[in-house]
Amino acid sequence: MTDRTRPYNFAPGPAAIPDEVLREAAAEMLDWHGCGVGVMEMSHRGKEFMQIAAEAEADLRELLAVPAGFRILFLQGGGLGENAIVPMNLSRGGQVDFVQTGSWSKKSIAEARRYADVAVVATNSGSADSAIPDPSTWALRKGASYLHICSNETIDGVEFHALPDLAALGTDAPLVIDCSSHILSRPIDWSRVGLAFAGAQKNVGPAGLTMVIVRDDLLGHALPITPSAFDYRIVADNGSMFNTPPTWAIYVAGLTFKWIKANGGVAAMDARAAEKSALLYEALDATGFYVNRVAAASRSRMNVPFWLRDESLNDAFLAGAKERGLLALKGHKSVGGMRASIYNAMPVAGVRALVAWLQEFEKTHG
Amino acid sequence: MTDRTRPYNFAPGPAAIPDEVLREAAAEMLDWHGCGVGVMEMSHRGKEFMQIAAEAEADLRELLAVPAGFRILFLQGGGLGENAIVPMNLSRGGQVDFVQTGSWSKKSIAEARRYADVAVVATNSGSADSAIPDPSTWALRKGASYLHICSNETIDGVEFHALPDLAALGTDAPLVIDCSSHILSRPIDWSRVGLAFAGAQKNVGPAGLTMVIVRDDLLGHALPITPSAFDYRIVADNGSMFNTPPTWAIYVAGLTFKWIKANGGVAAMDARAAEKSALLYEALDATGFYVNRVAAASRSRMNVPFWLRDESLNDAFLAGAKERGLLALKGHKSVGGMRASIYNAMPVAGVRALVAWLQEFEKTHG
């Protein structure tokens, strides 16, 4: 990429945003489409912002092929906030089942315990390879209001490559997926999903926006203690404008949706994710110098944690990476090591540059 | 203002942001201070963003002279969200008192009823002039966990020009102020305040950021149903980084804080607010063609609602205003008429231009 002037940013979130999106946002900062004011300064109820929000919603619906019967909501609060807001809206104060596959599902379990009778029906905790437990072994409860999974664990690098078919497992409980860190990197099978949510700051845009896609029949069951700003029924009835939405974040998300459409849609993002992750895992697997601990079938295509066998070399690895324009490769503090987050905005060339550095570093330090 | 190319934006929020702030945000969009990535793309835990957030917090503390013993928190959820989050954190499930002075205090009362035994201890509802009720008449309850006021009613144009002294009124309940629409337009007497909160999208920056300034002793009393992302104790203990904060909004807020400092600080904003609002109210009072219904002593310096005596002229007034670069003057749907929001970012010249239009329109239609 001889024309690239910016470094490659492997941050897990907030994360890289396509150059084209940032350039457009900068160009329109003081004057959106000739209206004389910038997007941050617009009333959320004016026709300009209503158009921005409507296009963002329509583009997201098109990209993910969200069927009629599902509502798209734009909220605040992030993934952690949503881990409380989902049980407020969907648990009915009853039973909620969880599959625990890493740090984020663990957090969601802790939040839900405030509102519901929570059971962990399967876990990979304690397993050496972090594989996703076989759905046929999940101890699903018949009376559960829903089953929650984190379909891509950002910290642990564990991904569901297919969503479980709960009907086939003998329950009509809706499936809730936290798809924050792989939304728009692959299609979603909506026949298996009741609610999907995602914080925008990983694969979409700026922090401060949470996207919720929810089946109509799951609206209207919020617990009485649910703040109205977070009551899905109220938010849906008001087109996500019951309170002031995070307008700038919706705008940047919308620009990103248009960028994905212009670059082949989710099918192209899916193919690129396969290509990029294969390149990186092959490089890691080709040597004992680096280690990835996740079972091959459960490896994330978005977040690739890895360790240097000799961790005393960590600082040298990171310093050399930075010199080569490869940023934010340090692993999450809870697991250590390294992590390369390779979301939609990461070009294949960025992964090739990282692979070249992995090989160069091993040659000089191996 | 011969060098001005942008129209004057009188929107109530999201609202005008100073040109200098927008220009800086645009210029740094792809590369903040030479680090190679933009602010939206940075990890909130990296040293660059930690610096941005720390400076924003320190500048806000300096501008408002926030004393030791108060914490500054950056949250999500907006004013409406905070109307639930405050009683979750401060009510202890007991009594909470409210003074109702307009639409926003009414909303806060409705939210608080989910969590506490709420009493409206005074109201201007039904009064012809919307005056703030004399504090000596408030029916304060001895056992209340706190008293909540909206210190500037954005929709109704009613402002507390002095905060009530609850100690002098015989209660040690802390005062909670929703100062969303006039924060940083005047000093705050912290000796009278337990907690102040403000959505950023009126007088500070983009939607999606809520600033909470809270006395230390009020932390740590959250109800068990409080989401951890909104538990003040947890947020404070983690420097507003327990979950991913709205990083872009904090950054733009920080740029605005620096702009205020460069333009004379809160003292200068205070003087400008006095000057601008006097200009506008004098023009409105000089004629029977326009009407403002708020008692003189309670008139807001930030949000000036007014009506044309002949409301059939509304569309002509708004169309002519737009032609002259005076935007977003339509009143809130719940009250009708007009509203000029003249926050810190509105130059005196903008108010002069509006006054000129008020006079011109009266001449041609009066």
Side-chain angles (χ1 to χ4, degrees):
Chain A
M1 298 286 285
T2 48
D3 62 341
R4 187 172 179 90
T5 56
R6 298 214 305 155
Y8 293 112
N9 177 10
F10 293 92
I17 293 177
D19 291 14
E20 297 89 332
V21 168
L22 295 176
R23 284 202 199 97
E24 185 163 352
E28 297 176 342
M29 181 68 78
L30 281 90
D31 186 2
W32 183 81
H33 295 199
C35 76
V37 305
V39 174
M40 276 191 285
E41 307 174 290
M42 287 176 184
S43 168
H44 55 296
R45 300 191 192 282
K47 69 174 178 0
E48 293 86 2
F49 186 75
M50 295 290 278
Q51 180 190 332
I52 289 169
E55 281 184 24
E57 184 180 328
D59 285 340
L60 180 57
R61 187 174 285 276
E62 180 186 333
L63 282 168
L64 283 175
V66 179
F70 282 80
R71 302 296 293 264
I72 295 178
L73 313 179
F74 294 132
L75 294 161
Q76 297 181 47
L80 190 66
E82 210 57 39
N83 279 327
I85 295 165
V86 170
M88 281 182 176
N89 277 279
L90 261 55
S91 74
R92 308 184 194 204
Q95 296 181 337
V96 181
D97 287 351
F98 282 80
V99 178
Q100 182 181 310
T101 51
S103 305
W104 272 98
S105 42
K106 224 179 276 180
K107 285 185 196 187
S108 66
I109 290 163
E111 289 296 316
R113 286 195 200 283
R114 306 178 196 281
Y115 314 102
D117 164 9
V118 167
V120 179
V121 300
T123 179
N124 64 4
S125 175
S127 85
D129 64 357
S130 299
I132 287 169
D134 181 344
S136 69
T137 68
W138 298 356
L140 299 172
R141 292 183 294 179
K142 291 288 178 197
S145 297
Y146 62 90
L147 173 81
H148 176 124
I149 65 171
C150 177
S151 50
N152 186 64
E153 292 275 5
T154 321
I155 292 173
D156 309 273
V158 173
E159 183 171 8
F160 281 81
H161 294 289
L163 295 176
D165 181 353
L166 296 196
L169 295 173
T171 171
D172 56 4
L175 176 67
V176 169
I177 63 171
D178 171 1
C179 57
S180 294
S181 50
H182 72 160
I183 189 171
L184 292 164
S185 74
R186 61 191 323 147
I188 293 177
D189 180 350
W190 294 103
S191 73
R192 297 187 173 185
V193 172
L195 182 148
F197 73 86
Q201 74 271 22
K202 296 175 186 299
N203 216 358
V204 173
L209 168 66
T210 316
M211 296 160 287
V212 174
I213 306 175
V214 56
R215 221 171 56 203
D216 274 338
D217 63 290
L218 300 177
L219 301 173
H221 305 293
L223 300 175
I225 49 90
T226 307
S228 59
F230 300 124
D231 180 321
Y232 293 150
R233 169 87 274 161
I234 293 173
V235 175
D237 285 350
N238 290 277
S240 298
M241 306 257 181
F242 185 66
N243 60 336
T244 311
T247 53
W248 174 261
I250 290 172
Y251 160 70
V252 175
L255 294 180
T256 304
F257 299 154
K258 289 190 192 301
W259 178 86
I260 294 174
K261 286 174 70 175
N263 284 276
V266 169
M269 297 299 125
D270 193 14
R272 256 165 47 118
E275 181 187 358
K276 290 185 291 182
S277 58
L279 274 171
L280 188 47
Y281 284 117
E282 278 164 21
L284 294 169
D285 288 347
T287 165
F289 189 80
Y290 302 105
V291 190
N292 170 283
R293 297 173 184 158
V294 181
S298 301
R299 283 171 165 182
S300 170
R301 307 190 312 177
M302 295 284 111
N303 309 99
V304 181
F306 62 94
W307 289 261
L308 277 64
R309 181 78 66 190
D310 176 0
E311 297 220 61
S312 73
L313 297 174
N314 282 358
D315 289 348
F317 178 87
L318 289 167
K322 195 172 176 187
E323 280 169 23
R324 284 155 185 80
L326 307 169
L327 304 185
L329 285 162
K330 192 172 179 180
H332 190 272
K333 61 186 173 181
S334 65
V335 293
M338 307 294 155
R339 173 173 47 169
S341 293
I342 49 175
Y343 299 122
N344 288 345
M346 175 61 63
V348 177
V351 177
R352 290 197 193 280
L354 172 58
V355 167
W357 171 236
L358 289 169
Q359 294 167 345
E360 182 189 340
F361 188 78
E362 180 180 355
K363 261 185 209 135
T364 48
H365 293 80
Chain B
M1 300 285 283
T2 50
D3 62 342
R4 188 172 177 90
T5 56
R6 299 212 305 156
Y8 294 113
N9 177 10
F10 294 91
I17 293 177
D19 291 14
E20 298 88 332
V21 168
L22 295 175
R23 284 203 198 98
E24 185 162 353
E28 297 177 342
M29 181 68 78
L30 282 89
D31 185 3
W32 184 81
H33 294 200
C35 77
V37 304
V39 173
M40 277 192 285
E41 309 174 290
M42 288 177 184
S43 168
H44 54 297
R45 299 191 192 283
K47 71 175 174 9
E48 292 86 2
F49 186 75
M50 296 290 278
Q51 181 190 332
I52 289 170
E55 280 184 24
E57 185 181 329
D59 286 339
L60 180 57
R61 185 175 287 276
E62 180 186 332
L63 283 167
L64 283 175
V66 179
F70 282 80
R71 303 294 293 263
I72 295 178
L73 313 179
F74 294 132
L75 293 161
Q76 296 182 49
L80 190 66
E82 208 59 37
N83 277 328
I85 295 166
V86 169
M88 282 182 176
N89 277 278
L90 261 55
S91 74
R92 311 186 191 202
Q95 296 181 338
V96 180
D97 288 350
F98 282 80
V99 177
Q100 181 182 309
T101 51
S103 305
W104 272 100
S105 41
K106 224 180 275 181
K107 286 185 194 185
S108 66
I109 290 163
E111 290 296 316
R113 287 196 199 283
R114 306 178 195 280
Y115 313 102
D117 166 9
V118 167
V120 179
V121 299
T123 178
N124 63 3
S125 174
S127 85
D129 65 357
S130 299
I132 288 170
D134 181 345
S136 69
T137 68
W138 298 356
L140 300 171
R141 294 183 292 180
K142 291 288 179 197
S145 296
Y146 61 91
L147 173 81
H148 176 123
I149 64 171
C150 176
S151 50
N152 186 63
E153 291 276 5
T154 321
I155 292 175
D156 308 273
V158 173
E159 182 171 6
F160 282 80
H161 294 289
L163 294 176
D165 180 354
L166 296 196
L169 295 173
T171 171
D172 57 3
L175 176 68
V176 169
I177 64 171
D178 170 2
C179 57
S180 293
S181 50
H182 71 160
I183 188 172
L184 291 165
S185 75
R186 61 192 322 149
I188 293 177
D189 180 351
W190 294 103
S191 73
R192 297 187 174 185
V193 172
L195 181 147
F197 73 86
Q201 75 271 22
K202 297 175 186 300
N203 218 356
V204 174
L209 169 65
T210 316
M211 297 160 287
V212 175
I213 306 176
V214 56
R215 221 171 57 202
D216 274 338
D217 63 291
L218 301 177
L219 301 174
H221 306 292
L223 300 175
I225 49 91
T226 308
S228 59
F230 300 124
D231 181 321
Y232 292 151
R233 170 88 273 161
I234 293 173
V235 175
D237 285 350
N238 290 276
S240 299
M241 305 258 182
F242 186 65
N243 61 335
T244 310
T247 52
W248 174 262
I250 291 172
Y251 160 69
V252 176
L255 294 181
T256 303
F257 300 154
K258 289 190 192 303
W259 178 86
I260 295 173
K261 287 173 70 174
N263 285 276
V266 168
M269 298 298 125
D270 194 13
R272 255 164 52 116
E275 181 187 358
K276 290 185 291 181
S277 59
L279 274 172
L280 189 46
Y281 284 116
E282 277 164 23
L284 294 169
D285 287 347
T287 166
F289 189 80
Y290 303 104
V291 190
N292 170 282
R293 298 173 185 157
V294 181
S298 301
R299 283 172 164 180
S300 170
R301 307 190 313 178
M302 296 283 112
N303 309 99
V304 181
F306 61 96
W307 288 262
L308 278 64
R309 180 81 65 190
D310 177 359
E311 297 221 60
S312 74
L313 297 173
N314 282 359
D315 289 348
F317 178 86
L318 289 167
K322 194 171 175 188
E323 279 168 24
R324 284 155 185 81
L326 307 169
L327 303 185
L329 285 163
K330 194 173 177 178
H332 191 271
K333 61 187 173 180
S334 66
V335 293
M338 308 294 154
R339 174 174 45 171
S341 293
I342 49 175
Y343 299 122
N344 287 347
M346 175 62 63
V348 176
V351 177
R352 290 197 192 279
L354 172 58
V355 167
W357 172 236
L358 288 170
Q359 294 168 345
E360 181 189 341
F361 187 78
E362 182 180 354
K363 262 186 209 133
T364 49
H365 292 81

